Amino acid sequence: MGNLIKLYHRLGAHYSFLEKRVVKEAVAYSAIGAIGAVIDFASFYFFLTRGLGVAVSQWLAAFLGFSNNHLWQHFWIFDHNRHLQVTYPFSLVVSFFAILASAPVLIAIDSVVGNIWVSKLIVGAVTAVFLFSVRKFFIFVKK
């Protein structure tokens, strides 16, 4: 553990992404992401059990999770000075493409993994990392 802390401090001196503020944002983003994941998974299950296909269920559920997450990120997580009328449409466009791609990727991963829930976790994790990066460095910035 001591070596990990030393490495953190050594890297932290050179890389701004290890700043306390960014770490705090990443932790808060993960906590809100967990809530969004519950919304996503619960609505995915709801839509599937109502007879909607995997792709449509994924698109609808991912959109619901996205909307919840974006509002929390806008008002609580990221330090920025942009209005919701600016951040939401921009984030929605980026997320639209991520959500659109998530269904075929989910189906492809599920064809290999064989468990829709594990496949959904994989897709969700990859999407979360991608969207954090986009939101942190392009959407929720000080202008």
Side-chain angles (χ1 to χ4, degrees), residues 23-101:
V23 171
K24 180 183 173 226
E25 288 174 346
V27 169
Y29 184 89
S30 298
I32 294 305
I35 294 168
V38 168
I39 291 169
D40 183 352
F41 275 72
S43 55
F44 182 73
Y45 176 79
F46 174 82
F47 295 133
L48 276 179
T49 59
R50 298 305 180 265
L52 296 177
V54 171
V56 173
S57 296
Q58 170 61 19
W59 289 328
L60 293 173
F63 176 75
L64 292 174
F66 153 78
S67 294
N68 171 77
N69 291 354
H70 181 84
L71 292 173
W72 280 104
Q73 291 157 8
H74 179 88
F75 291 111
W76 182 57
I77 295 175
F78 292 110
D79 180 26
H80 65 97
N81 61 355
R82 300 181 80 186
H83 296 284
L84 183 64
Q85 296 87 343
V86 173
T87 64
Y88 190 81
F90 185 31
S91 187
L92 181 61
V93 168
V94 171
S95 296
F96 172 78
F97 289 106
I99 290 168
L100 189 63

Side-chain angles (χ1 to χ4, degrees), residues 98-109:
I99 290 168
L100 189 63
S102 71
V105 171
L106 174 65
I107 292 167
I109 292 173

Side-chain angles (χ1 to χ4, degrees), residues 1-21:
M1 186 65 163
N3 289 338
L4 187 60
I5 291 171
K6 287 178 188 175
L7 177 63
Y8 170 81
H9 288 293
R10 193 173 333 137
L11 289 174
H14 302 289
Y15 297 101
S16 64
F17 68 85
L18 292 176
E19 293 175 8
K20 286 183 182 180
R21 179 181 50 80

Side-chain angles (χ1 to χ4, degrees), residues 106-121:
L106 174 65
I107 292 167
I109 292 173
D110 188 48
S111 70
V112 174
V113 174
N115 183 318
I116 193 74
W117 301 106
V118 172
S119 302
K120 190 154 175 53
L121 276 173

